[in-house]
Every structure is written in structure tokens, then in C-alpha cells.
Amino acid sequence: MRHLIDPMDLTVEQTGQVIALAQEIIADRGRFRDACKGKKLATLFYEPSTRTRLSFTSAMLELGGEVIGFADARSSSVSKGETVADTVRVIRCFADIIAMRHFKEGAPLVASQYAGIPVINAGDGSHAHPTQTLTDLLTIQREKGRLDHLTVGFCGDLKFGRTVHSLLRALSRYEGTKVVLISPEELRLPDYMLRELGAGSGLEVREVRTLEEAMPELDILYMTRVQKERFADEADYERVKDSYVLDLEKLKTAREDMIVLHPLPRVNEIARAVDNDPRAAYFRQVENGKFVRMALILTLLRWAGENRPFERTPVLAEPYGVGERTCPNPHCISATEDVDQLLRREADGSCRCAYCETIL
């Protein structure tokens, strides 16, 4: 059974196929209006969401399918203590495909082991957000005409931003990509990701502390909000929340064909006046999210059909191994649910938690 838990679950070729299918849908939406007739998507959203949940819902409805699920875990049996594994084993009786957002890192991976139907990670904690990555790639392709030989600036919360982490991994597979990381010290990209990106990926990475340093060289500026919900101490949030704000003055040194992306929601990191600048592509980016999710749903359902009958995915599957060591990350799904301690061994001999990627 094929799932989308991490953006790297798709090869570069498969990613290109999903993006190409999304562009076909954009060109002729009527041709796909009954493509999922008789199919049901279950949206299991344990964490608040507007764009992602409605984007999935709209995508399935435009394909002629139906949508079930919940937007608040408190209205489901989760409030009674039901585990992710048991929830998806129930949902598989009613749906053909699942889109899951969860506040615990690794929850969609657990779901994929028990669902027996395709599972799409719609965001898990600070870990990954692969459908946002596909949205970003489709937007870049449509706006810039290519996915290689680009200089991309990531600004704001690079420590907790799952959209940043996912897109960086995806971009590392395209030739000639340069990345400029723009953040305060407290929100810089985690060291493990810097090591991963520097391990033979061919990605050129450098860190700066101000937007002004990077702006003139960028093809793309990817802004992010400072996420209050990711801070344990509100005082730390208040101290850094206004660190970086994009306004028209800062845009004066940017290239005329640079584009500004943002996964949204924004707080105050992009001034309202920027919305009228043709380089502001973040609302076009939102609409692209619906089209790429339409393409992904179609692709995963087709792959599922090619592998019927459904069988439960084995708990232990390559490239993971079961270990005795406990993940120290309190935000990992393994910290609160009874799951196998899945480990992934790195090339340097170290072990990483398969759910949240914490080094053990």
C-alpha cells in the first residue's frame, strides 16, 4: 500500500507526475469532475486547520467523491482515549483514503501501518507537511517555469516550521538549488537538518540574520510565521515574533521576477500592502493546493487499485527496525501511544526515531 507520509516518499519522477497531473486538471477541470465518483475521503484533523482541511474537502468534491471525518478530535472517540491505530482501523470500514493532521509527530506513520487504505499526512506536529510541499512545488513550477537552478530564501521560523523542513528536503533533489536561511538564532534550522542537507545533496546552503542581506539574489522568498503554539514559554514567543516583517521598502531591492510564498496563515510577517505587488504569490499558492491534492488523491487511489486486495501493512517494514530505546521527544506519537519503537539507522551508524526523526 502506498501512502504519502513524507515528501521523500515520492521519487523526483513521481513528484513530477503528480505536478503534471495537477496541471492537466487546471487546464481541463471538467474532465475530472467524476473521477472519484463513489469514493470517500476521510479527513481526520486532530489539530485546527482552515486551508489544508478545506483544500482536501474541495479537492475530493470537485473529483465527484464524498468527504467524511472530523475537524475537532474532541467530537470523536479520540476524546475517550481511542488510539490512532484503532481509529484508522475503524475508518477504513467507511472510507477509501485518509487525510490526517495530528499534533503528535509520527501519527500518520502509525496510521499507515494499520489503515489498509492510503494515508496522506496533512501535517504532523513540527515534523512534515508533504502536501504543502507539493503545493509549493506546483506553485514554483507555474510561476518560475522550472524547479531547478533557483535561489530560495526561507525566512522566519525555521526551527519549528514543518513546511520549511519538507520543502527543503524536496528542493535538495533538484540540480543547482541554492538556499539562504534567514532567521534569528532562536529559530534557526535544527542542526540535524543542516547535516542532512549537507550530506551529499548538492544543495548550497548559507545562513544570514537579516532579510536585507539576502533579498537581491533571491528567485523565491518563502516567508513563515512565528508559530505561537510551538513555544513552551510565551515570553520566548513574544521576544521573537516581530523579528522579520516583509514590507514594500524591503521589496525595493528584490528582483522584479522574484515571487513571495507563504504557507499561511500569516500574522504580521507580511505587510498588507505587499498583497498588491505582482510578486506576492501566496494566494495563488493556496488555490494550487486544491489542484495538487486532487492529483494526489487520484494518484494514490490508482496505486491502491493496482495493489488490491488491501492488506494490513506490516508493523515492521523496511527501512525501519524495532528497538528497545525510547524516543526522548515528548511531542512524538511514541511518547503517548503504545507503538513499536521504530528506528532508522543512519549512514554514520546513529539511530533516528522513525516517527519524529529525533536522534537517539
Side-chain angles (χ1 to χ4, degrees), residues 199-213:
S201 69
L203 198 68
E204 185 178 320
V205 181
R206 69 186 182 95
E207 296 182 88
V208 300
R209 291 289 172 260
T210 68
L211 265 169
E212 288 81 356
E213 290 176 77

Side-chain angles (χ1 to χ4, degrees), residues 276-347:
N276 297 320
D277 191 292
R279 291 169 288 190
Y282 31 89
F283 291 115
R284 300 194 291 273
Q285 184 182 359
V286 172
E287 187 175 24
N288 286 331
K290 177 183 67 176
F291 297 125
V292 86
R293 289 178 177 104
M294 291 171 73
L296 180 62
I297 290 168
L298 283 172
T299 299
L300 289 179
L301 285 174
R302 176 171 58 82
W303 287 349
E306 293 168 356
N307 287 286
R308 290 185 189 274
F310 287 136
E311 295 181 0
R312 180 183 177 282
T313 304
V315 171
L316 176 56
E318 292 297 329
Y320 306 127
V322 176
E324 302 258 333
R325 302 173 68 183
T326 301
C327 177
N329 178 10
H331 304 294
C332 179
I333 190 68
S334 66
T336 53
E337 295 202 6
D338 181 16
V339 298
D340 288 329
Q341 295 291 330
L342 296 184
L343 311 175
R344 189 175 74 229
R345 190 165 295 281
E346 301 297 306

Side-chain angles (χ1 to χ4, degrees), residues 7-12 15 168-175 201:
M8 306 301 270
D9 289 344
L10 299 177
T11 66
V12 172
T15 299
L168 276 168
R169 286 195 176 100
L171 288 174
S172 70
R173 301 192 292 184
Y174 295 94
E175 185 180 354
S201 69

Side-chain angles (χ1 to χ4, degrees), residues 127-148:
H127 179 225
H129 198 346
T131 63
Q132 181 63 50
T133 299
L134 289 172
T135 297
D136 299 339
L137 293 175
L138 173 61
T139 304
I140 293 169
Q141 180 66 52
R142 295 188 72 193
E143 298 281 336
K144 303 299 293 184
R146 66 189 190 279
L147 294 173
D148 55 8

Side-chain angles (χ1 to χ4, degrees), residues 160-179:
F160 298 105
R162 59 190 169 201
T163 59
V164 171
H165 300 174
S166 293
L167 183 55
L168 276 168
R169 286 195 176 100
L171 288 174
S172 70
R173 301 192 292 184
Y174 295 94
E175 185 180 354
T177 303
K178 298 180 181 179
V179 168

Side-chain angles (χ1 to χ4, degrees), residues 6 63 95 116 126 135 209 226 236 241 287 295 337 345 359:
D6 183 273
L63 290 169
S126 300
T135 297
R209 291 289 172 260
V226 176
D236 288 341
K241 69 175 183 177
E287 187 175 24
E337 295 202 6
R345 190 165 295 281
I359 294 286

